[in-house]
Amino acid sequence: MFTFCQRPAAGARIGVAFTDRHGGVSHGPMGALNLGRSDVDDPAAIRENFDRVRTALGVTTVLAVRQLHTADVLVADDALVSAWSPDRHLGSSLPGQAPLPVADAIVSAVPGAALCIRVADCLPILLADPHAGVIGAAHAGRRGLVAGVVATTVTAMRTLGAGAIQAWIGPHICRRCYEVPATMVAEIAEQFPIARAVTSWGTPALDLAAIAAAQLDDLGCFVTSAEHCTRTVQDLPSYRRDGQQSGRQAGFVWLT
């Protein structure tokens, strides 16, 4: 069910987790633990998958957003969390349910609510200052990184009182697999030279994790990055590998 899971130890306040494709009830090539793709998966299966994850993590509320590769951040305050219904994270995939808020990051200082970011090659970035009791989660694809989603997330956390921030970059497509046109590499490398890479088959590529890690480091965050590549690890969903048949994994961070 998890590629990485760090539950709060005795006296700790923060939990973080990244899911894989196993442990759920979805059928087909998306993987059993699909946490998105309500356009093709059964919403009842996605709901059950989320229920299983919530039970495993020991949380009751999951906050999610409609991700559009922006740098927009949703601040989840007490009012928003209190009004969040049990299935709100499923959005309009359920009849009568309102659409999710549009953003590519969430920050909060409210205990008991897990922040959720869904991906299938992009970077799921989880952030926390356990001492201040402030958490964040960001969806960082190529466009979001260029737009500044990392900086806007960290800034929003610091507005809530965060100081020393730990960041976890979850499973993502690696620099040896993220093939893009040479013109795109040249354009992005002007701003982020560290992003320039080459695939294992010798074509131009980008290193998204290097961009994110450099940005986080510049912002004074301590960074841990997963080595799992979504394209090559079959236990993880990958749009680059599976196209429209790909499911969605998720990163969760929560404050006890």
Side-chain angles (χ1 to χ4, degrees), residues 32-174:
L33 196 66
N34 170 49
L35 296 174
R37 298 305 311 280
S38 58
D39 55 330
V40 292
D41 199 2
D42 180 358
I46 300 174
R47 174 191 276 171
E48 174 62 22
N49 291 343
F50 266 105
D51 286 346
R52 293 188 179 198
V53 171
R54 286 191 297 190
T55 298
L57 298 181
V59 300
T60 56
T61 302
V62 171
L63 306 180
V65 286
R66 185 183 177 206
Q67 303 165 193
L68 295 178
H69 297 277
T70 69
D72 297 336
V73 181
L74 174 70
V75 179
D77 57 15
D78 285 296
L80 185 146
V81 174
S82 297
W84 199 270
S85 63
D87 286 329
R88 182 76 176 85
H89 56 280
L90 299 174
S92 54
S93 63
L94 293 180
Q97 187 89 339
L100 289 171
V102 175
D104 281 83
I106 318 169
V107 300
S108 185
V110 181
L115 312 184
C116 169
I117 289 294
R118 291 176 273 201
V119 295
D121 282 333
C122 294
L123 310 180
I125 304 176
L126 307 179
L127 309 100
D129 178 348
H131 300 291
V134 180
I135 55 177
H139 162 239
R142 170 179 50 83
R143 285 181 288 165
L145 287 170
V146 172
V149 69
V150 170
T152 57
T153 305
V154 171
T155 298
M157 290 179 66
R158 292 203 163 125
T159 300
L160 293 178
I165 296 175
Q166 164 75 58
W168 295 264
I169 299 175
H172 55 274
I173 192 165
C174 77

Side-chain angles (χ1 to χ4, degrees), residues 183-196 206:
T183 53
M184 183 181 294
V185 173
E187 177 183 348
I188 292 180
E190 284 187 12
Q191 184 176 359
F192 307 106
I194 199 171
R196 192 182 296 273
L206 289 173

